[in-house]
Amino acid sequence: MYHRIVAAKLRQAFSDINAGNWQSMVDTLAPEFTYVFHGEHALSGERHTVEAMSLWWQRVLRLFPGAGFERTSSSPAAPG
């Protein structure tokens, strides 16, 4: 059940992001989090604050206006 709930939330988040509403994803972040975008390029790195995530999304859409994102897999772990 947990996995289905998280999967639905992820689908909605990606739908919102693709509609240009990245703020809805940022609004769901916990006070403490780690967001990693892997690679060695202008978008890679770790973010740990809501402000940093907001700035990152602004940069993504400035560099790639109209970009779309597709979720290919997820493995949410139940809280333990």
Side-chain angles (χ1 to χ4, degrees):
M1 181 62 140
Y2 177 81
H3 182 80
R4 287 192 356 219
I5 292 169
V6 171
K9 288 184 177 285
L10 283 171
R11 279 192 300 277
Q12 184 61 54
F14 275 83
S15 178
D16 288 348
I17 290 166
N18 287 332
N21 181 14
W22 53 266
Q23 187 64 50
S24 67
M25 178 273 218
V26 172
D27 290 343
T28 66
L29 294 171
E32 295 182 19
F33 67 91
T34 298
Y35 182 89
V36 179
F37 199 90
H38 295 281
E40 295 184 25
H41 46 75
L43 299 176
S44 63
E46 288 189 14
R47 279 91 196 160
H48 302 278
T49 67
V50 170
E51 180 182 11
M53 277 306 300
S54 294
L55 291 171
W56 183 81
W57 275 113
Q58 291 170 30
R59 180 177 176 88
V60 168
L61 296 177
R62 187 173 59 251
L63 294 174
F64 301 102
F69 298 88
E70 179 180 345
R71 182 180 68 90
T72 57
S73 67
S74 63
S75 300

